[in-house]
Amino acid sequence: MYGHVYKLAQAVIEGIESVENVEVVLCRVPETLPQEVLEKMGAVEAQKQQAHIPICSVEELGNADAIIFGTPTRFGNMCAQMRQFLDATGGLWAKGALVGKVGSVFTSSNTQHGGQESTILSFHTTLLHHGMVIVGLPYTFKGQSTMDEISGCSPYGASTIAGSDGSFYPSKNELAGAYFQGKHVAQIAKKLMS
């Protein structure tokens, strides 16, 4: 909605692309809020910057070897747009189309204690119901242990703190965490698919 998850996604993609012989597809879930609500929320500019990104269909998920989901945090959970998208994946579940595929999550919240970990962990529930193999952000990413700054990122996945007014953007450390997570997921997916 404001570009924080998109910035993390760009770093995730760079991490994935650092692994040889992988293909990355960036897409977004459908927006469910009316235009007038987006305008009142001040989200129109970020929406314009992301307009070139294609909207994902549920069926496309079945074609991937790994899926890294990015979602803003809303009261300690994924945003409604993502929830609605995932609620439409029953057909994939019935076919077992995501079983054995790698699933990973990253997020953004307004505040340091705004529910980043609970958002990712609650997202994992859906991925586990689909039989996916959960991959997080291991402590081999040393930036998780930084005491030099207030920073997102946890063993569950990369994250950023946007600030209550959305004025903060991912720090170098948070972007490094997203890069690491993308690379880590790609490496694991390659091992599982070989």
Side-chain angles (χ1 to χ4, degrees):
M1 188 170 290
Y2 300 105
H4 299 86
V5 170
Y6 179 47
K7 290 219 182 283
L8 285 177
Q10 291 171 316
V12 167
I13 289 168
E14 289 176 18
I16 295 167
E17 290 176 338
S18 74
V19 177
E20 290 184 15
N21 301 317
V22 297
E23 180 184 341
V24 180
V25 177
L26 174 66
C27 52
R28 57 190 168 106
V29 300
E31 179 57 70
T32 58
L33 294 174
Q35 185 65 25
E36 58 270 11
V37 173
L38 293 171
E39 289 170 6
K40 288 179 183 176
M41 296 175 76
V44 175
E45 189 57 39
Q47 297 286 314
K48 287 179 187 175
Q49 292 173 2
Q50 298 171 50
H52 68 283
I53 302 169
I55 294 175
C56 188
S57 70
V58 168
E59 294 75 26
E60 287 177 90
L61 297 179
N63 299 329
D65 294 325
I67 306 167
I68 305 175
F69 296 92
T71 180
T73 294
R74 297 290 184 263
F75 303 106
N77 286 290
M78 69 183 78
C79 67
Q81 295 90 330
M82 183 64 75
R83 181 73 266 158
Q84 184 170 336
F85 180 77
L86 292 175
D87 282 347
T89 61
L92 293 176
W93 174 83
K95 294 182 221 170
L98 302 182
V99 173
K101 295 177 187 274
V102 175
S104 193
V105 183
F106 62 94
T107 191
S108 170
S109 67
N110 284 347
T111 62
Q112 183 179 3
H113 302 292
Q116 294 176 359
E117 291 181 351
S118 63
T119 296
I120 295 172
L121 288 170
S122 64
F123 205 121
H124 286 170
T125 304
T126 301
L127 303 185
L128 289 166
H129 274 262
H130 274 289
M132 297 184 84
V133 177
I134 305 295
V135 174
L137 179 63
Y139 277 103
T140 48
F141 169 61
K142 300 300 182 196
Q144 280 198 70
S145 301
T146 186
M147 296 299 288
D148 299 334
E149 64 182 74
I150 294 174
S151 182
C153 295
S154 72
Y156 312 113
S159 59
T160 188
I161 302 163
S164 60
D165 62 355
S167 62
F168 294 108
Y169 280 89
S171 69
K172 287 182 181 178
N173 187 58
E174 293 165 337
L175 291 170
Y179 177 95
F180 190 103
Q181 185 174 350
K183 182 177 181 178
H184 183 59
V185 168
Q187 290 170 330
I188 289 175
K190 279 185 72 170
K191 288 178 184 176
L192 289 176
M193 298 305 143
S194 60

